[in-house]
């Protein structure tokens, strides 16, 4: 038995049936938790911020095309 790191709800987890790295969901608040240790079972909440950070990094790398930059280059060529 572990407690959800966000809402402290008890989550029934059998340490013989989970593996390290497995993702569990809290039945109460639906927070995703990663099993970081077994015997005894310990979990860490997976924050939504990690997903947002990855998206921010992609846009900073120039993966997204910014149409405004293209317009500025055309203006320079016309002069």
């Amino acid at each position: 038995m572990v407690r959800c790191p966000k809402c402290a709800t008890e989550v029934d987890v059998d340490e013989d049936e989970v593996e390290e790295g497995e993702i569990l969901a809290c039945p109460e608040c639906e927070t995703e938790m990663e099993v970081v240790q077994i015997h005894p079972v310990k979990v860490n909440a997976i924050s939504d911020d990690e997903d947002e950070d990855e998206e921010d990094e992609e846009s900073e790398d120039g993966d997204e095309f910014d149409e405004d930059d293209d317009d500025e280059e055309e203006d320079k060529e016309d002069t």
Side-chain angles (χ1 to χ4, degrees), residues 5 9 11 13-14 17 19-20 22 27 32-35 39-41 53-55 57 65 68 70-71 75 79:
T9 298
V11 180
V13 177
D14 186 353
E17 294 182 8
E19 296 180 8
E20 201 167 313
E22 188 172 336
E32 290 187 333
M33 303 171 280
E34 179 181 11
V35 177
H39 305 294
V41 176
D53 290 345
E54 290 174 8
E55 291 172 8
E57 289 174 10
F65 182 72
D68 292 338
D70 191 39
D71 292 340
D75 290 341
T79 53

Side-chain angles (χ1 to χ4, degrees), residues 47-60:
S47 67
D48 293 334
D49 295 340
E50 290 177 6
D51 294 336
E52 292 173 8
D53 290 345
E54 290 174 8
E55 291 172 8
D56 290 345
E57 289 174 10
E58 288 176 7
S59 63
E60 288 173 7

